[in-house]
Amino acid sequence: GEDVEQSLFLSVREGDSSVINCTYTDSSSTYLYWYKQEPGAGLQLLTYIFSNMDMKQDQRLTVLLNKKDKHLSLRIADTQTGDSAIYFCAEINGGTSYGKLTFGQGTILTVHP
Amino acid sequence: DAGVIQSPRHEVTEMGQEVTLRCKPISGHDYLFWYRQTMMRGLELLIYFNNNVPIDDSGMPEDRFSAKMPNASFSTLKIQPSEPRDSAVYFCASSGTRDTGELFFGEGSRLTVL
């Protein structure tokens, strides 16, 4: 079945860039997502990328997709303390399991002042 | 729209008791999902519905868990009898048919079974 893996922890200083990495196994993934979970809250969609794209930029966020290596990354420029949260990578195979996302285990980002 | 609404936000109960968690999805959304989050297992999909019909319940741990969606604006997740290992945060999420994976999550119900 599908599998999505992420490193568990990332610690950066305020103002630096953060890069969160994700690998997935389903070569038929149609969309890949980054969700953010703040303490005591549900997940919130940050951004997503179609599988036929290499890169997507949205303000401070840059998503890079290497489809050959099945590797997805999220770069946060000028990281702020408010960016401290858990970040989940997720994928969907629109052809066979519409609506059903597979999530990674989440990366805990800690931003130090 | 108020977003996905879950209740209760917190529930503490004793082993063996019945627990009912409730969810009101965003109006107009056709998909409803129940997830469970724990430190050990991360985020697990329990069940999801499309147009009130259960599509995939393969993530439901065992017969003690059941979920219903009697209409488009309400769903319940029931655990009977509850056990300490059911302690977790349970999330409900909804999604519209034209969306391709943007789930809108509720704030979760934190369940503690003593």
Side-chain angles (χ1 to χ4, degrees), chain A residues 33 35 37 42-43 98-100, chain B residues 31 33 56 97 99-101 103:
Chain A
Y33 303 84
Y35 278 79
Q37 183 181 27
L43 280 70
Y98 182 77
K100 183 178 175 182
Chain B
Y31 287 86
F33 303 81
D56 184 348
T97 42
D99 296 330
T100 53
L103 270 58

Side-chain angles (χ1 to χ4, degrees), chain A residues 87-105:
Chain A
Y87 290 81
F88 291 89
C89 170
E91 64 91 22
I92 192 170
N93 184 328
T96 61
S97 54
Y98 182 77
K100 183 178 175 182
L101 271 72
T102 301
F103 284 92
Q105 63 270 53

Side-chain angles (χ1 to χ4, degrees), chain A residues 20-65:
Chain A
I20 303 171
N21 294 300
C22 169
T23 56
Y24 60 98
T25 58
D26 186 357
S27 58
S28 300
S29 296
T30 49
Y31 297 93
L32 295 121
Y33 303 84
W34 286 104
Y35 278 79
K36 177 183 180 183
Q37 183 181 27
E38 296 184 353
L43 280 70
Q44 185 175 20
L45 180 67
L46 272 183
T47 186
Y48 68 91
I49 189 168
F50 291 106
S51 59
N52 62 358
M53 295 170 64
D54 300 328
M55 186 182 92
K56 181 179 180 182
Q57 186 145 6
D58 185 359
Q59 299 182 331
R60 292 190 298 122
L61 305 178
T62 303
V63 178
L64 294 177
L65 174 60

Side-chain angles (χ1 to χ4, degrees), chain A residues 11-18 60 76-84 109-113:
Chain A
S11 180
V12 300
R13 286 195 182 280
E14 191 173 19
D16 288 349
S17 291
S18 307
R60 292 190 298 122
I76 306 173
D78 187 25
T79 314
Q80 303 297 307
T81 53
D83 294 324
S84 294
L109 173 65
T110 304
V111 183
H112 300 284

Side-chain angles (χ1 to χ4, degrees), chain B residues 13-34:
Chain B
T13 191
E14 292 190 344
M15 185 172 67
Q17 296 298 305
E18 179 179 289
V19 173
T20 300
L21 307 178
R22 297 172 177 82
C23 176
K24 182 180 188 310
I26 292 173
S27 176
H29 280 186
D30 299 282
Y31 287 86
L32 184 139
F33 303 81
W34 283 101

